[in-house]
Amino acid sequence: MVSFHHLAHAALVLAGLHSAAAVADEFTDPGRKIFERRCVGCHEGTPPSADTLGPSLVGIIGRKAGTGNSSVHSRAAIESDTVWTRSSLRRYLSDPGREMPGTFMPVQVQDPKELDELLNYLQTLR
Ligand code: HEC
């Protein structure tokens, strides 16, 4: 027979593990680190999806370029037919101005491994 005491203890241990994992995630997710170092100055990653200097990236995967809750888009983005998928984001982020001439987005991420890590993180922004 498992006592209440044991169950309570197990629950506390699990809660502890869970928050330790969440903390580890926050500090070790390499994509999140890149995002916090290179993107948050201009882009929000958490709801409510407010614009700062750039459009919020909450829900970016599946969104059409230049839409979303944004007043900071270029004409190039608004008039483009691009829908943001992993592959279109990969092309855009590796060289925004070549992929979408006239875009206001100034940052490039060229390292393929960093791009993968960043895309993994962008996919979690909902
Ligand atoms: C100095 C400010 C700035 C920084 C830093 C920046 N961006 Fe941007 N970004 C912008 C602006 C402004 C736009 C709007 C571009 C347009 O409409 O042409 C944009 C557009 C985008 C878009 C397209 C959004 C949409 O709604 O179509 C994505 C995706 C994006 N940025 C990702 C990133 C990522 C990832 C990083 C970090 C590696 C980053 N940006 C860093 C300013 C910035």
Side-chain angles (χ1 to χ4, degrees):
M1 177 66 192
V2 179
S3 70
F4 172 76
H5 180 79
H6 279 116
L7 283 178
H9 183 72
L12 280 177
V13 170
L14 283 175
L17 284 177
H18 178 79
S19 58
V23 169
D25 211 41
E26 192 165 321
F27 291 105
T28 59
D29 176 339
R32 180 175 179 149
K33 277 195 191 157
I34 298 166
F35 186 79
E36 289 180 350
R37 207 172 60 235
R38 304 197 54 198
C39 318
V40 281
C42 297
H43 293 287
E44 290 271 342
T46 47
S49 52
D51 298 333
T52 49
L53 287 174
S56 164
L57 298 185
V58 174
I60 187 69
I61 301 273
R63 198 163 89 192
K64 193 191 152 301
T67 61
N69 176 25
S70 181
S71 52
V72 293
H73 281 294
S74 63
R75 186 169 189 144
I78 292 165
E79 291 180 351
S80 120
D81 293 328
T82 300
V83 173
W84 296 125
T85 60
R86 249 187 114 92
S87 62
S88 59
L89 281 170
R90 179 185 295 281
R91 287 194 305 272
Y92 181 72
L93 293 175
S94 64
D95 195 347
R98 190 195 56 203
E99 195 51 32
M100 188 182 285
T103 184
F104 295 155
M105 162 65 182
V107 174
Q108 292 186 354
V109 182
Q110 290 188 317
D111 183 296
K113 182 166 166 276
E114 283 196 354
L115 257 179
D116 266 332
E117 292 167 346
L118 185 60
L119 287 167
N120 289 344
Y121 181 67
L122 292 181
Q123 261 177 318
T124 70
L125 302 181
R126 304 250 142 244

